[in-house]
Structure formats: C-alpha cells, structure tokens
Amino acid sequence: LTFTRNSVGDALISRVSRNYNVDVNIVLANIDIITDEALGGIIATIEGTADNVSAAMEYIHSCGVETEVIENA
C-alpha cells in the first residue's frame, strides 16, 4: 500500500478491517517526509473471503491509496 499526502493519517486499516470483515496484518510500515509532505508505505497481508478481500481492495483504491499485489510472498 502506498499512501500519499492525502491519505496518510487516515484510519484506513481499521476501517477496512471492520467494514469488510477482513484481517489486515501489517508486516512493515514506513512514513517519510519529503518536501514537507508525508508519504508512506505499508507491506501487509489481507485475509478473508475472496469477495471481501476484493471489496476491501476496491475501497482502498477509492481512498487514493495505491496497491501492488504480491502473490505467494
């Protein structure tokens, strides 16, 4: 997950877990300040039914967060 200045600081992970009935496990997280703007990245696993994970991913995208799926990592 890649967060931009518009999405850093939002309670996105909590909201996704509650609203889409998925478990989000944060493996690694980092936030940097670049030219006075916060940028962040999270490596996480999202577990749940295929439909719930898909809906959660759609919501994450709608919040302006970029994603990259790493399968079998």
Side-chain angles (χ1 to χ4, degrees):
L1 306 173
T2 303
F3 294 80
T4 62
R5 65 183 168 97
N6 295 328
S7 56
V8 167
D10 199 14
L12 180 72
I13 300 298
S14 301
R15 195 172 314 115
V16 165
S17 185
R18 277 194 314 267
N19 294 347
Y20 296 94
N21 196 31
V22 294
D23 292 324
V24 180
N25 181 31
I26 298 172
V27 178
L28 178 69
N30 185 45
I31 295 178
D32 292 313
I33 306 298
I34 300 175
T35 61
D36 296 328
E37 293 189 19
L39 300 173
I42 294 178
I43 297 174
T45 61
I46 302 176
E47 298 179 6
T49 66
D51 287 342
N52 288 357
V53 170
S54 179
M57 294 293 286
E58 286 180 28
Y59 177 73
I60 291 168
H61 288 140
S62 76
C63 292
V65 176
E66 297 175 16
T67 64
E68 178 181 350
V69 176
I70 303 171
E71 295 187 33
N72 302 319

